[in-house]
Amino acid sequence: MDDFIAARAQMALSLGFHIIFACVGMVMPFLMAFAHWKYLKTNNEVYKGLTKAWSKGVAILFATGAVSGTMLSFELGLLWPGFMKHAGPIFGMPFSLEGTAFFIEAIAIGFFLYGWDKFNKWFHWFCGFLVGLSGLASGILVVAANAWMNSPAGFDYIDGQYLNIDPIKAMFNDAWFPQALHMTVAAFCATGFAVAGVHAYLIMKKKNVEFHTKAFKIAAGFALIGAFGAPLSGDVAAKSVAKRQPIKLAAMEAHFETERGAAFVIGGIPDEKKGEIKYALKIPKVLSFLVSNDFNSEVKGLNDFPRDEWPPVAVVHYAFQIMIFFGVVMICIGAVYLYSLFFKKEWLTKNWLLKTFLFATPFGYIALEAGWTVTEVGRQPWIIYGVMRTIDAVTPMPGIQYSFYFFTAIFVSLSLIIIFLLRRQIKMVPKLYDPTDIQFNDKNKKS
Amino acid sequence: MIYVVIGFLWLSICLYVILGGADFGAGIVELFTKKKARHKTKEIMYESIAPVWEANHMWLIIAIVILFVGFPEIYTTMSTYLHIPLVLMLLGIIARGTAFTFRHYDAVKDDWQVLYTQIFYYASLLTPFFLGLIAAATVSQSINPNATNFLDLYIFSWLNWFGVAVGLFMVAICAYLASIFSLRETRDKLDLTLMIKKSKQTMIFVVITGLLVFITAYLSGIPLVTWVFSKPLGIMAISFATVALALILRAMNQRKLLPVRALAGFQIIMILVAATYQHNPDIILLGNGQHLSLLEHIAAPKTISALGWALMLGSLFILPFLFYLMFSFTKAKKS
């Protein structure tokens, strides 16, 4: 493995890992705060238990997100010093603000976890809510920094020099809003489905049914918001990509020839050498409509761009297809759930509905990872779109492959431990968190 | 505005060494405690760091962000030539942070706790050691961008006796801070006597490793003595640190614990002043004779001013909130 590929693989792995925890960290506190709010309103101890159970999840995942985020802040320099030397001062603004947001999150978590019965109950509740709010803010800020790589702004690039730097302009680049919006919605969708899936499984197993049903309802509600919001925000994102990075859009759709009234391509196997796509389902004129609200508008094809500026077409195309596929599946599940909520209440307790949610547990995260692949791989070969190539940014240090193996081992073991820990949390629900369970002992009520 | 940014950089490094250091120290002290007293030590140590420990390592992130936004050349030079120790330090941060969380939040207490605890101990030891090593490498002129082979570029840029000595000194400081900070967390006289004994032991360790730093600096031709004792501020800082040491011993014997804590914090700040002020504003002294200065190798003016504002605005939110957190938990414990 050469150093460049190793560096990219390590970065991809780190981001892929961090994104999961970052998204849980953004959304889970809101679930927790919602349960907490229900408790304060109803005084139902089950909600208190649920809040505590979720808060432990938040704590574990926050810590993991924090360390993987720390790793990333180092890796940016360790792997891409050529990039950071120029980009740091330009796109660093959101990172410096993110530091504040993240700090507030860390403090608020301290208040929340250790603050039961110590503070005014609404202050305590607010701290939990603040964990989510600041998590959301840091997510949005980091995405704004990433968006700058897709839509460089706030500087003039003249003769290899980065002049007239304006970090505020760089932060509010053209891509930040569509990317942040889509990311946030996707995070709600993914976390909602993941949490709902876990609780659906436990309801099916007939364990602490009331507890898990309450949890399931809240999580499914969040999943619904995400599932229906995703296509809307996705549309905004796609239009923005078409405008800023037409080559990325062309790769997403494996769209080789520039044409008017371009078809929306579903599935298929792209052949980069021949410049065609086989076995695909084509819906005429829809792509044109999607990118410009006009069925006959022109959509640029890959062939209009220099060959050495093409991203890996197949990867981007497949990733995009995977995202769309799982997105659509989640919308369907959401629709069924919504229908049963209003018209067929008896479906809600049916095993098939719960089973559907169980299967859907990873769907949101698969879609999320696929979406990030589209964003990141679709930007290649550029690290700063149109300005700096990724290969010019890589560290001169040799032997990065070992670093890649090393970090892979870390990520794999961390993932295993987290799964192990979360399973143990779930196993202890009867004893620690569900006050209606006979195993629940008084001693734990105070902790 | 550049001075505001430098001020925040220095402040966050200081706070990371003091608060994060006490954090690491908790693991180190536990590691070097005999099995019999370990459980007791763990409880006391834990009391002092639990609510704020998430926040403590944020200071490092702030310092890193300030470096890469405001001083990109310094950041990239460090991350290129000190790649290996940075990765090792990172490993320590990851292992320690997660092990701490795991051992605390794990719903079941069983043999797995032993594993998390072991990881927690060794990672607590590893991280400050490499932090010290990295700090030493920036000023020991061991980084030489003109070198041509792998060993000189990426290994000997940080691996030398002076670095090892500074690493050990850093470990000692962490253990010292942790034992001093925990004095106020003890519940009875017996605990207090135990922790005072520990504080004195770690104090000796600090003095010995401190001497080691000077000896290795002398042997490696690093003008540490000149740096520290050539300017009035350096002499003052070292004198204050020494006086503080005596005062701490006195206050400890009189069981006045709040002054002990404050003095220890002050003492560490003085050591950092002495260590950093003397080659200020140069932050990295390279082997090819070039120096990277905090005043010259900086980002564009607009970046620096935006960064300065972001930091000031951020601290407006963070500091009161953080102090309230610390204050309310101290109060809660007392009541």
Side-chain angles (χ1 to χ4, degrees):
Chain A
M1 191 186 269
D2 77 24
D3 288 322
F4 176 54
I5 295 296
R8 279 183 62 187
Q10 184 179 325
M11 201 66 199
L13 185 81
S14 310
L15 278 170
F17 183 85
H18 179 66
I19 281 166
I20 295 177
F21 297 99
C23 286
V24 179
M26 271 159 74
V27 181
M28 196 79 191
F30 287 114
L31 291 172
M32 173 187 94
F34 191 83
H36 192 185
W37 178 75
K38 287 283 262 187
Y39 165 65
L40 293 175
K41 284 274 156 199
T42 61
N43 255 330
N44 184 339
E45 291 285 325
V46 176
Y47 281 118
K48 187 180 183 182
L50 179 60
T51 310
K52 283 192 176 177
W54 275 347
S55 74
K56 290 290 160 63
V58 168
I60 291 171
L61 295 162
F62 175 82
T64 326
V67 289
S68 56
T70 310
M71 280 161 88
L72 278 172
S73 67
F74 277 91
E75 279 179 305
L76 281 172
L78 293 174
L79 299 173
W80 314 106
F83 166 67
M84 289 309 282
K85 193 168 174 176
H86 300 294
I90 312 174
F91 86 148
M93 189 64 194
F95 283 113
S96 42
L97 295 174
E98 196 250 349
T100 304
F102 193 49
F103 217 130
I104 290 174
E105 196 179 349
I107 300 171
I109 271 197
F111 270 115
F112 189 80
L113 291 175
Y114 298 88
W116 286 98
D117 309 321
K118 282 190 189 125
F119 302 105
N120 171 299
K121 63 179 184 179
W122 286 107
F123 174 76
H124 184 226
W125 175 83
F126 177 73
C127 285
F129 182 69
L130 192 59
V131 175
L133 220 53
S134 43
L136 201 62
S138 40
I140 290 172
L141 288 162
V142 170
V143 171
N146 173 273
W148 177 82
M149 295 161 75
N150 285 309
S151 174
F155 66 100
D156 294 316
Y157 185 63
I158 300 161
D159 295 334
Q161 294 216 305
Y162 297 73
L163 304 171
N164 305 323
I165 290 169
D166 183 343
I168 307 287
K169 255 193 199 160
M171 181 161 83
F172 294 113
N173 58 74
D174 289 341
W176 88 269
F177 180 72
Q179 269 199 354
L181 179 71
H182 193 43
M183 178 73 194
T184 308
V185 172
F188 272 86
C189 182
T191 309
F193 270 101
V195 177
V198 171
H199 290 288
Y201 173 72
L202 293 158
I203 298 170
M204 278 159 62
K205 288 207 119 188
K206 302 256 180 288
K207 282 183 179 163
N208 303 79
V209 173
E210 191 200 342
F211 180 91
H212 291 299
T213 307
K214 283 192 161 48
F216 174 80
K217 267 192 186 159
I218 298 174
F222 277 79
L224 274 187
I225 301 171
F228 292 118
L232 300 174
S233 60
D235 182 57
V236 178
K239 283 190 168 67
S240 153
V241 169
K243 217 166 116 194
R244 290 176 290 103
Q245 294 171 296
I247 191 168
K248 185 191 269 182
L249 182 91
M252 280 154 68
E253 276 289 282
H255 180 67
F256 289 96
E257 295 299 334
T258 301
E259 57 183 349
R260 292 189 167 276
F264 187 73
V265 174
I266 296 174
I269 300 171
D271 185 337
E272 274 179 67
K273 278 189 191 129
K274 286 191 187 152
E276 58 180 35
I277 180 156
K278 278 183 195 158
Y279 317 115
L281 182 68
K282 292 186 177 177
I283 311 174
K285 302 201 179 206
V286 169
L287 183 60
S288 285
F289 180 74
L290 282 178
V291 298
S292 61
N293 291 335
D294 171 6
F295 282 108
N296 288 314
S297 66
E298 187 183 85
V299 179
K300 271 194 161 189
L302 284 159
N303 287 337
D304 264 19
F305 298 94
R307 193 63 195 249
D308 70 337
E309 288 181 16
W310 288 20
V313 178
V315 178
V316 180
H317 177 69
Y318 291 137
F320 184 57
Q321 299 301 314
I322 291 170
M323 179 181 82
I324 300 252
F325 173 77
F326 283 104
V328 171
V329 173
M330 285 186 290
I331 293 171
C332 295
I333 299 173
V336 172
Y337 182 71
L338 206 59
Y339 181 76
S340 51
L341 217 49
F342 286 105
F343 304 108
K344 289 269 183 195
K345 286 224 187 295
E346 65 271 22
W347 285 4
L348 291 173
T349 47
K350 289 266 162 24
N351 247 8
W352 63 264
L353 187 82
L354 294 171
K355 234 181 217 167
T356 315
F357 271 94
L358 170 63
F359 278 117
T361 305
F363 288 1
Y365 279 98
I366 297 173
L368 195 86
E369 295 283 359
W372 269 100
T373 309
V374 173
T375 312
E376 296 292 276
V377 180
R379 192 190 60 235
Q380 301 305 325
W382 303 101
I383 193 165
I384 309 173
Y385 187 65
V387 177
M388 182 192 275
R389 282 180 189 259
T390 315
I391 194 146
D392 297 326
V394 74
T395 178
M397 193 180 111
I400 296 298
Q401 68 191 82
Y402 300 105
S403 157
F404 168 62
Y405 300 143
F406 180 71
F407 278 92
T408 307
I410 291 179
F411 284 127
V412 171
S413 42
L414 271 183
S415 310
L416 292 177
I417 298 177
I418 290 154
I419 293 168
F420 170 80
L421 279 180
L422 292 179
R423 277 190 58 161
R424 281 167 51 124
Q425 289 287 344
I426 292 166
K427 237 171 140 180
M428 292 300 276
V429 163
K431 272 191 192 150
L432 293 179
Y433 304 119
D434 186 358
T436 61
D437 198 292
I438 34 169
Q439 293 180 58
F440 186 83
N441 56 45
D442 280 356
K443 208 175 72 191
N444 290 314
K445 273 186 187 165
K446 280 175 192 156
S447 70
Chain B
M1 198 55 105
I2 181 67
Y3 289 101
V4 172
V5 174
I6 294 176
F8 271 100
L9 177 65
W10 196 81
L11 184 76
S12 42
I13 292 174
C14 246
L15 286 171
Y16 185 63
V17 171
I18 294 176
L19 297 171
D23 237 32
F24 290 123
I28 302 169
V29 171
E30 252 187 79
L31 175 64
F32 291 108
T33 299
K34 283 194 194 109
K35 266 206 178 124
K36 229 169 52 189
R38 240 184 208 177
H39 187 70
K40 186 119 247 170
T41 324
K42 177 184 160 185
E43 271 184 358
I44 300 167
M45 289 284 163
Y46 186 77
E47 287 274 302
S48 59
I49 59 171
V52 286
W53 93 271
E54 301 272 18
N56 286 347
H57 91 278
M58 282 305 302
W59 297 111
L60 176 70
I61 310 243
I62 305 268
I64 295 285
V65 170
I66 294 176
L67 272 185
F68 79 59
V69 177
F71 311 95
E73 206 170 334
I74 291 165
Y75 172 77
T76 45
T77 304
M78 285 177 72
S79 20
T80 306
Y81 300 104
L82 303 175
H83 189 118
I84 296 168
L86 279 168
V87 166
L88 292 170
M89 182 178 94
L90 200 50
L91 173 74
I93 292 174
I94 298 162
R96 189 185 167 282
T98 44
F100 182 85
T101 312
F102 295 165
R103 93 164 165 169
H104 186 58
Y105 295 122
D106 192 352
V108 189
K109 309 282 177 210
D110 57 11
D111 285 351
W112 279 87
Q113 293 282 323
V114 179
L115 177 73
Y116 311 142
T117 303
Q118 289 296 327
I119 296 176
F120 175 72
Y121 289 161
Y122 290 100
S124 296
L125 190 69
L126 184 78
T127 314
F129 176 73
F130 280 102
L131 188 68
L133 205 66
I134 289 161
T138 58
V139 295
S140 61
Q141 303 196 328
S142 52
I143 301 174
N144 185 0
N146 295 353
T148 46
N149 63 64
F150 179 81
L151 284 178
D152 287 338
L153 276 171
Y154 303 111
I155 302 288
F156 298 128
S157 51
W158 52 276
L159 191 62
N160 49 56
W161 288 115
F162 176 64
V164 171
V166 176
L168 290 175
F169 182 57
M170 196 68 208
V171 169
I173 282 187
C174 291
Y176 171 62
L177 279 171
S179 48
I180 290 270
F181 278 16
S182 65
L183 291 180
R184 282 194 80 206
E185 313 296 334
T186 51
R187 296 243 162 108
D188 51 48
K189 272 193 173 167
L190 214 65
D191 284 2
L192 185 60
T193 321
L194 172 82
M195 292 320 291
I196 285 185
K197 201 175 138 205
K198 282 215 174 303
S199 304
K200 286 182 182 165
Q201 284 167 351
T202 50
M203 198 185 269
I204 295 169
F205 191 38
V206 169
V207 175
I208 293 173
T209 49
L211 284 174
L212 208 60
V213 169
F214 277 97
I215 294 168
T216 49
Y218 175 75
L219 293 177
S220 323
I222 297 161
L224 189 64
V225 178
T226 328
W227 284 341
V228 174
F229 296 104
S230 64
K231 295 185 190 172
L233 191 71
I235 299 172
M236 265 162 67
I238 286 292
S239 317
F240 282 145
T242 317
V243 172
L245 191 72
L247 290 175
I248 287 172
L249 278 172
R250 204 182 120 115
M252 221 152 41
N253 289 337
Q254 293 173 345
R255 302 290 190 262
K256 285 180 183 160
L257 302 177
L258 190 64
V260 169
R261 195 181 261 198
L263 281 167
F266 171 76
Q267 190 185 16
I268 301 305
I269 291 175
M270 284 302 115
I271 292 175
L272 283 171
V273 167
T276 53
Y277 181 73
Q278 303 310 314
H279 42 80
N280 174 58
D282 294 337
I283 189 168
I284 301 186
L285 315 181
L286 296 168
N288 62 5
Q290 203 201 345
H291 292 174
L292 296 182
S293 149
L294 281 173
L295 292 175
E296 285 163 24
H297 296 83
I298 56 173
K302 267 198 172 175
T303 302
I304 294 293
S305 108
L307 178 62
W309 281 110
L311 289 167
M312 287 193 283
L313 201 71
S315 58
L316 267 186
F317 283 102
I318 293 168
L319 294 178
F321 202 29
L322 186 64
F323 285 129
Y324 182 53
L325 179 72
M326 291 174 167
F327 168 74
S328 47
F329 282 100
T330 319
K331 209 177 81 181
K333 249 177 269 165
K334 287 210 168 148
S335 62

